Amino acid sequence: MSERPTTLLHVASEMTPLAKAGGLGDVIGALAAEQARRGHRVTVALPAYRSLAVPEGWTRHPHPGCDVPWGLGVEPAGFEILRPPARPGGREGGDGGAGASGGSLEVLLVEHRGARRFFDREGIYDDPARGQSYPDGAERFMFFARAALQALARRGEPIDILHAHDHQAGWVPCFARTHLAAEPAFAGVATVFTIHNLGYQGIHDPWVLGLAGFGRELFYPAGPFEFFGRVNDMKVGLLFADLLSTVSPRYAREIQSGGEFGFGLEGVLQHRSADLRGILNGIDDETWDPARDRFLPHPYDRAHPEGKLKVRAALREECGFPASPDWPLVGTVTRLVEQKGLDLIEQAEADLLRLDARFIILGAGQPRFQELLTRLMIRHPQRFYYRAGFDERFAHLIEGGCDLFLMPSRYEPCGLNQMYSLRYGTLPVVRATGGLADTVSDFDLEARTGTGFVFQRYEAAEMVAALRRGLTAWRQPAVRAGLMERGMSLDFSWRASADGYDRLYADALARVRAGAAPTLDSVRAAM
Ligand code: ADP
Ligand code: GLC
């Protein structure tokens, strides 16, 4: 890339270890650290949620607040900078871990100081008291996007790349090309928008356009700000960014194909097809490493897989399952939402009971699925164990202690748990969709190839058949050892993905230098 370090800002609503609801948090935390390690100057803008978990060793630094334009008025923003600790030889970024490469990592916390306190609340997206999303989601994240850019503009240092993630950051590329286009900090900036999940788009009533600083005259049918009579944050991001990416090559194809994957945006994605890339997520291979995992009672690795048996025994005991008969343990860790295929588990209840296996499920989410899983555990306590809520330690214990891992997703942009499973020698059983299809290869008994068990159609019978194949293979020690060995030797570290993003950034910058950055007029004209 350029001779001087690339200066880049990620705008995202989650980042481990500070705030996480799902895979987005893992991805932002690990990607930013890897980019700092390879010499970039990385800032991650993150809302200052009340629930933020700032680990020991991180330092906090004041940063001047400012007023953020908001409709016809302004709303006050406060900021704070967080820096991770220096970790010699580590990959945490910070000034230390990344220092040798000249890179750095810091977090820009965005606080809303207006009366409604957008982020000083219990949950990230949902109000735990009501079990629903906060009703002012449109305002919360539009404010976040605008305030983050405003802070950077005031700092004045030139930024090379604005990298916006999912609909919460959808307005970032638009604001950078409109209201903030004349700011010296953004004079040569390129913008990139990454889709982590097209199933969540941030769709709101049209009045929010006024808050964004645009007149109703721009809200005409089929314009960039209109989506079936409403405003769609994801669509705005998709139209104003220089380049687009999503989190696996297969999902990049699926979302343009329409049907169940496009969620109404397939036309926009086809329109930008040449600008959309699929870059497979990596995993944080320090946090998710069975040899070093602080949550596992015993370490193990590819050369010493026997340690896994002790983890397995600890998990079985924690779930209250008997040691005899010693049936295989099948794990699932998931948000309890439609996307994740839980209705297949519901439909397959009787067949699952015939499998001589025990199921361990950890998940938080929709009450309907919580009730389903609670009911299964009450009816069949020796076969189903369900733990409600978000429990990081237990998620690691399931990855380490289970024999198989089930992900029957309806769709899956990338998915991280199947990659964790491969690394932990836990055989994945997945549906052939999105990143699951790109990371798990189906076992072939004759050729002795494959790393897991893949089923094609979204049907309970197909899922049960794949599980049955998985259990049969697992019961044969030599076959099992081969599967584990192949899975555990795969490299899903961030290095390859970060290379993909470096290329994406270089191409986006080249476009901007060639004068091809979008403007409000060019985006409107292209529609
Ligand atoms: P998604 O982002 O769609 O939820 P991913 O597979 O990309 O799916 O990532 C999910 C991440 O969230 C994984 O790290 C998984 O372990 C974690 N996770 C999901 N639900 C829970 C839970 N209830 N407790 C702990 N971790 C969870
Ligand atoms: C989304 C997707 C998931 C992906 C994650 C991180 O939440 O549902 O498949 O792994 O984002 O990109």
Side-chain angles (χ1 to χ4, degrees), residues 323-457:
S324 166
D326 189 14
W327 284 338
L329 305 177
V330 181
T332 294
V333 178
T334 185
R335 291 183 295 116
L336 300 179
V337 292
E338 296 275 334
Q339 174 195 347
K340 301 295 180 179
L342 295 145
D343 46 340
L344 292 189
I345 295 181
E346 182 169 29
Q347 290 163 32
E349 177 177 345
D351 289 329
L352 295 179
L353 288 169
R354 284 190 213 106
L355 285 180
D356 289 351
R358 304 188 204 276
F359 295 87
I360 301 171
I361 303 176
L362 168 64
Q366 289 177 12
R368 138 171 187 231
F369 294 122
Q370 292 187 34
E371 282 153 24
L372 160 71
L373 298 171
T374 306
R375 200 168 60 235
L376 288 175
M377 178 162 76
I378 290 171
R379 273 198 212 143
H380 320 286
Q382 306 246 315
R383 308 299 295 281
F384 287 95
Y385 177 87
Y386 166 52
R387 183 172 297 184
F390 199 90
D391 187 335
E392 203 183 343
R393 182 195 67 87
F394 200 54
H396 284 248
L397 194 63
I398 289 179
E399 285 294 1
C402 280
D403 304 306
L404 287 87
F405 195 93
L406 176 63
M407 279 181 91
S409 306
R410 196 182 275 276
Y411 74 93
E412 195 63 73
C414 180
L416 300 174
N417 278 111
Q418 81 283 9
M419 293 192 267
Y420 302 152
S421 299
L422 289 165
R423 189 125 205 266
Y424 280 64
T426 304
L427 312 181
V429 179
V430 304
R431 189 166 101 80
T433 183
L436 298 177
D438 284 342
T439 51
V440 180
S441 54
D442 196 32
F443 174 61
D444 181 329
L445 182 62
E446 304 255 294
R448 295 286 162 115
T449 55
T451 53
F453 304 88
V454 183
F455 64 100
Q456 299 293 328
R457 283 194 302 271

